[in-house]
Amino acid sequence: MATNHTQIEQLLKQHDIRPSYHRIKIYQYLVEKRNHPSVDMIYQDLIQEIPTLSRTTVYNALNLFMEKNLVIMITIAENETRYDANVDLHGHFRCINCGKILDVFFNKESLPIKGLEACIVKESHIYFKGYCPECQAEA
Amino acid sequence: MATNHTQIEQLLKQHDIRPSYHRIKIYQYLVEKRNHPSVDMIYQDLIQEIPTLSRTTVYNALNLFMEKNLVIMITIAENETRYDANVDLHGHFRCINCGKILDVFFNKESLPIKGLEACIVKESHIYFKGYCPECQAEA
DNA sequence: GTATCTGCAAAACATTTGCAATTCT
DNA sequence: AGAATTGCAAATGTTTTGCAGATAC
């Protein structure tokens, strides 16, 4: 990964976010792992390194990041919110079997969607569910 | 609306669902209102007519309907699940201002999506957020 | 020294579950 | 009677909030 603390710090500052130790760690986690984590995944992994970390801090950081357009919310899992530090337009695929989330790509202009003509679109969300290549093999 | 109790009853039976009074009312609500309601919207509206109705019954019915592929779940609103009796492939648009949910249409085969090639897709979900025609006028 | 950030505990939600009472056939 | 359905109350799980102590500028 081409990201170190200094780079992460710059990114946070550029988005008007004061780069506290916890925020740097949380944002670095999102950028490096690219695993579309839930709050609890971030919490469980980072508490190994930062034993005093609390879930509240993870929630606080993510809500701030979203407000500042540094991360997006993914609603692909029923009961928990997932987060993504890739804010460029893209979609997701979630494997019904293993739960893994993959990125998929599309171009907003080329989407053949009817019924949106009179609307001003601010956000586009696309996601799929099914079996990933690995889980097809097993089945 | 071309739906009456008898027709609704038939539809439930065809999907292996015993047509109890509550289930008929709840399914009829979805089919006739087409308003992509939350559990609470259904509950608040139907309790006028059925004073003994409980939220649990609404949850029970909707979960059964989903299991039997009679309704689909829509995850367009952050904090609550919405439901739709239109199970044909389509997407949604939610107005950031008034909260209204509109239907949009697309064709799965014609979607220019990259990254899905090796996956077996079972469900496709597409939704947008922005301003509906009415709310553009106000703003 | 004043703002901000953190973290605990409690609260606020939506949803599920256990179970007893009711209803349907 | 027997099986399914309903509905209350409690439990669950995620996210938010209030507030006190710690930290940063």
Side-chain angles (χ1 to χ4, degrees), chain A residues 12-139:
Chain A
L12 293 178
K13 279 185 192 164
Q14 282 163 25
H15 287 257
D16 261 326
I17 296 167
R18 294 168 72 151
S20 74
Y21 177 69
H22 293 80
R23 288 172 181 167
I24 291 171
K25 282 299 197 178
I26 293 166
Y27 186 57
Q28 190 174 32
Y29 180 95
L30 284 157
V31 169
E32 292 187 351
K33 287 244 182 180
R34 287 170 163 67
N35 58 346
H36 313 91
S38 63
V39 164
D40 214 58
M41 286 164 73
I42 299 172
Y43 173 75
Q44 295 299 343
D45 284 354
L46 286 185
I47 202 164
Q48 313 288 336
E49 261 186 274
I50 316 165
T52 62
L53 183 68
S54 86
R55 256 174 266 259
T56 305
T57 299
V58 181
Y59 278 108
N60 286 342
L62 290 169
N63 287 338
L64 181 64
F65 295 168
M66 282 198 291
E67 202 181 295
K68 302 293 190 184
N69 300 309
L70 202 61
V71 309
I72 54 167
M73 180 188 281
I74 307 175
T75 59
I76 202 169
E78 251 81 78
N79 39 1
E80 59 183 9
T81 303
R82 300 300 198 99
Y83 300 87
D84 195 341
N86 178 3
V87 294
D88 296 333
L89 183 71
H90 70 293
H92 297 95
F93 171 89
R94 179 161 195 261
C95 180
I96 297 168
N97 188 241
C98 68
K100 188 175 21 188
I101 297 178
L102 306 172
D103 290 304
V104 305
F105 303 95
F106 62 97
N107 190 296
K108 193 177 123 191
E109 277 64 42
S110 68
L111 283 184
I113 307 278
K114 278 189 193 136
L116 269 182
E117 297 77 13
C119 300
I120 296 174
V121 175
K122 293 288 184 186
E123 287 179 40
S124 306
H125 298 264
I126 293 189
Y127 67 90
F128 304 89
K129 296 185 188 180
Y131 294 98
C132 73
E134 287 82 48
C135 290
Q136 288 169 41
E138 288 167 25

Side-chain angles (χ1 to χ4, degrees), chain B residues 19-27 46 50 52-54 57 61 65:
Chain B
S20 73
Y21 177 69
H22 294 79
R23 287 173 182 166
I24 291 171
K25 283 297 198 181
I26 293 166
Y27 186 55
L46 286 185
I50 315 165
T52 61
L53 183 68
S54 86
T57 299
F65 295 167

